[in-house]
Amino acid sequence: MFNINFSEVGSVNVKTSHQGGLTNEQIADLAVDKIASISDQAPPHVRQQAKLFKEQLKVILYHYLILARREERGTIIQALRSSGQKEMAEYIRRL
Amino acid sequence: MAIAQAMCNSFKKELMEGVHNFKNSGGNTFRLALYAEGGGGKSSTTATLGFGTTAYTTTGEILNSGSYAAGGGELTRVDPSVASSTSTATAFTDFADISFTTATITAMGALIYNDSSSGNSAVCVLDFTSNKTSTSGTFTVQFPTADASNAIIRIA
């Protein structure tokens, strides 16, 4: 006889935003949660180390997310300027 | 509780009947539909979802908003895996995170179902434990890490 011991459903994480998209911080949280998860059964010192790792990882991801958004915005602004839409370019620059 | 996290009983039976295919290439189409408790639903009837849910239902599903339309969003499948090939281990599968944009949504839970099967067979119910709200914004559902301890669907 074959016995299936358990069938389980994992817990999802929901992030929401208001009047716009997710913030850099929310996206960094999503990335960190995907990269590292901490088991409830892990010894306290391992949990503490993992928590510190996640905090450091979040700082790095947050920095590069800001950079990525800024660079993409710069590319969009330049494309708009090149096509003569200077007002729109200025509007996006001020966002 | 009107929405209770569970793997649907009918899904377990249907696994043995070969109804569901989670493979990335050539697998079935799975969708995630969002549900409200109390206000926010399409009707005044609150969704009742749990282990006994057998199929997608519109009762209590949230209203169309932004990129969310009735029936929910299509999920991107990730090939099922098994944690070890040398000992008894847990098999699991995963989906890519899903986002609904420029949407005003209040949802308490979700249903993953197989859109390819006749009758839109239910897979599992997700309970967000509290109302989650986006206002003209993004509503993102992030699936857990795809491993033997956390993955969205696990069988051992």
Side-chain angles (χ1 to χ4, degrees), chain A residues 54-68:
Chain A
K54 286 181 81 168
E55 284 169 7
Q56 288 176 349
L57 193 59
K58 186 180 169 183
V59 170
I60 294 166
L61 286 170
Y62 181 76
H63 169 76
Y64 282 99
L65 279 169
I66 288 176
L67 204 58

Side-chain angles (χ1 to χ4, degrees), chain B residues 110-143:
Chain B
L111 175 71
I112 295 177
Y113 67 96
N114 188 339
D115 194 31
S116 300
S117 70
S118 60
N120 294 327
S121 304
V123 173
C124 61
V125 175
L126 307 176
D127 181 2
F128 300 157
T129 66
S130 64
N131 270 323
K132 306 291 182 185
T133 300
S134 67
T135 313
S136 302
T138 302
F139 193 103
T140 294
V141 178
Q142 182 188 43
F143 288 98

Side-chain angles (χ1 to χ4, degrees), chain B residues 12-66:
Chain B
K12 298 174 193 172
K13 172 176 167 280
E14 287 161 358
L15 278 179
M16 296 182 182
E17 296 169 347
V19 173
H20 304 278
N21 181 351
F22 289 91
K23 287 174 79 171
N24 174 260
S25 177
N28 297 146
T29 299
F30 292 90
R31 302 183 77 87
L32 179 142
L34 294 171
Y35 291 86
E37 273 191 7
K42 278 181 176 174
S43 64
S44 57
T45 310
T46 293
T48 302
L49 302 169
F51 61 82
T53 301
T54 58
Y56 162 71
T57 174
T58 56
T59 303
E61 187 182 7
I62 63 160
L63 294 162
N64 293 351
S65 180

